[in-house]
Amino acid sequence: ILELAAVEMHKGKITGQQFHLYIKPRHTISHEVTSINHIQQDLFDKCYEEYYLEEKEQMIAFLKFVGNDSVLFGHNVPFDYYFLNNELKYLGLPGIPVSRFRCTLRIMKDVFGKVFNGEQKFSFKLHNCVKLFKICNEKEMFHNALFDSFVTAKLIVKIYQFVNGKITLEELDVPEGVMIKKNIGNENVKSIEGCKDNVICDNKENSNKKEKS
């Protein structure tokens, strides 16, 4: 992990509370990695020790931020879960159980995998999902941890609005070549299997829990 970020949501709203840290790498950052996340080795060689807490202190602060009962959302959560818990284990800190994680990529596939067809398959990458809901179209901004956290939080809000009929299929920015299947409309989209994920939609057990993206 080079960078970790989270934003807090409560009852479908971004609260303004956020967390962000850099973790000094144990290996030199390759040019390939820098080309994806725009993080350069110079950040850690020249600035890290002067401005940032020691790695374990930062991860303890992250665990305090997410607490013991919040739900953690991410896009492609298995990837994040693996790296996050490996880092916690390396530092001798308690891991976060998989039951606390929810994956917006899986939820998007559950909802829209049964909506779209056509010659071109819809790719459920984060950039494509937020573009579908007209949240953001600045592709070069992605792979920044804090930016990704905010757009994922906004994506959660949009999914909730969509499955509850506040956003129609006609309002989506559907890519050229991807078509909406016949007999699918907003009047029956709520019945699509997976749409009523236990946190995305109303659920008494989780309704008062805060979410971190």
Side-chain angles (χ1 to χ4, degrees), residues 82-93:
Y82 172 81
F83 276 95
L84 179 58
N85 276 297
N86 269 8
E87 192 71 25
L88 291 169
K89 183 179 180 180
Y90 176 83
L91 296 170
L93 296 172

Side-chain angles (χ1 to χ4, degrees), residues 36 38 126-132 134-144 147-148 151 154 173:
I36 295 172
H38 310 295
L126 180 59
H127 169 256
N128 294 330
C129 291
V130 300
K131 186 174 183 294
L132 181 69
K134 303 176 183 178
I135 297 170
C136 175
N137 194 29
E138 298 176 18
K139 196 171 184 178
E140 67 277 3
M141 295 292 293
F142 289 84
H143 300 293
N144 170 283
F147 179 84
D148 285 359
V151 295
K154 291 177 181 179
D173 185 9

Side-chain angles (χ1 to χ4, degrees), residues 124-186:
F124 289 95
K125 292 181 178 180
L126 180 59
H127 169 256
N128 294 330
C129 291
V130 300
K131 186 174 183 294
L132 181 69
F133 283 107
K134 303 176 183 178
I135 297 170
C136 175
N137 194 29
E138 298 176 18
K139 196 171 184 178
E140 67 277 3
M141 295 292 293
F142 289 84
H143 300 293
N144 170 283
L146 194 55
F147 179 84
D148 285 359
S149 294
F150 271 107
V151 295
T152 299
K154 291 177 181 179
L155 179 62
I156 294 166
V157 173
K158 292 295 187 180
I159 296 171
Y160 184 93
Q161 291 174 346
F162 178 75
V163 299
N164 284 282
K166 295 179 181 179
I167 296 176
T168 66
L169 289 165
E170 291 74 20
E171 293 176 273
L172 302 178
D173 185 9
V174 180
E176 185 178 351
V178 177
M179 297 178 291
I180 298 173
K181 292 181 180 179
K182 293 180 180 180
N183 303 320
I184 291 289
N186 275 78

Side-chain angles (χ1 to χ4, degrees), residues 56-75:
K56 188 169 184 176
E57 290 181 77
Q58 292 202 79
M59 292 303 289
I60 289 172
F62 173 74
L63 290 175
K64 288 181 179 178
F65 180 78
V66 300
N68 296 317
D69 62 352
S70 62
V71 178
L72 280 70
F73 279 88
H75 202 76

Side-chain angles (χ1 to χ4, degrees):
I1 296 177
L2 296 177
E3 187 184 20
L4 180 64
V7 300
E8 183 183 72
M9 298 182 68
H10 185 57
K11 295 184 177 180
K13 300 291 184 181
I14 298 172
T15 67
Q17 298 296 315
Q18 64 188 55
F19 183 92
H20 179 264
L21 62 80
Y22 288 108
I23 296 177
K24 191 171 183 177
R26 293 182 280 275
H27 304 282
T28 302
I29 301 172
S30 69
H31 293 297
E32 182 182 0
V33 170
T34 297
S35 69
I36 295 172
N37 58 29
H38 310 295
I39 299 174
Q40 298 182 354
Q41 186 68 38
D42 280 356
L43 168 68
F44 301 99
D45 293 342
K46 298 179 180 179
C47 306
Y48 188 81
E49 291 182 3
E50 181 178 359
Y51 296 111
Y52 293 95
L53 293 172
E54 185 268 334
E55 178 183 2
K56 188 169 184 176
E57 290 181 77
Q58 292 202 79
M59 292 303 289
I60 289 172
F62 173 74
L63 290 175
K64 288 181 179 178
F65 180 78
V66 300
N68 296 317
D69 62 352
S70 62
V71 178
L72 280 70
F73 279 88
H75 202 76
N76 193 17
V77 153
F79 179 88
D80 297 326
Y81 171 81
Y82 172 81
F83 276 95
L84 179 58
N85 276 297
N86 269 8
E87 192 71 25
L88 291 169
K89 183 179 180 180
Y90 176 83
L91 296 170
L93 296 172
I96 302 174
V98 69
S99 60
R100 288 182 58 191
F101 287 84
R102 300 292 184 274
C103 182
T104 52
L105 186 151
R106 182 179 66 81
I107 295 167
M108 286 291 294
K109 283 186 175 181
D110 284 344
V111 176
F112 290 101
K114 296 185 173 94
V115 172
F116 293 145
N117 65 5
E119 296 179 2
Q120 177 182 324
K121 291 185 177 180
F122 184 80
S123 169
F124 289 95
K125 292 181 178 180
L126 180 59
H127 169 256
N128 294 330
C129 291
V130 300
K131 186 174 183 294
L132 181 69
F133 283 107
K134 303 176 183 178
I135 297 170
C136 175
N137 194 29
E138 298 176 18
K139 196 171 184 178
E140 67 277 3
M141 295 292 293
F142 289 84
H143 300 293
N144 170 283
L146 194 55
F147 179 84
D148 285 359
S149 294
F150 271 107
V151 295
T152 299
K154 291 177 181 179
L155 179 62
I156 294 166
V157 173
K158 292 295 187 180
I159 296 171
Y160 184 93
Q161 291 174 346
F162 178 75
V163 299
N164 284 282
K166 295 179 181 179
I167 296 176
T168 66
L169 289 165
E170 291 74 20
E171 293 176 273
L172 302 178
D173 185 9
V174 180
E176 185 178 351
V178 177
M179 297 178 291
I180 298 173
K181 292 181 180 179
K182 293 180 180 180
N183 303 320
I184 291 289
N186 275 78
E187 69 279 357
N188 62 3
V189 74
K190 287 186 182 182
S191 66
I192 298 173
E193 183 182 358
C195 192
K196 284 285 185 183
D197 187 90
N198 62 344
V199 175
I200 281 291
C201 295
D202 295 333
N203 181 292
K204 291 181 180 179
E205 180 181 352
N206 292 300
S207 61
N208 291 317
K209 289 187 177 182
K210 292 186 177 181
E211 300 92 31
K212 313 287 181 179
S213 301

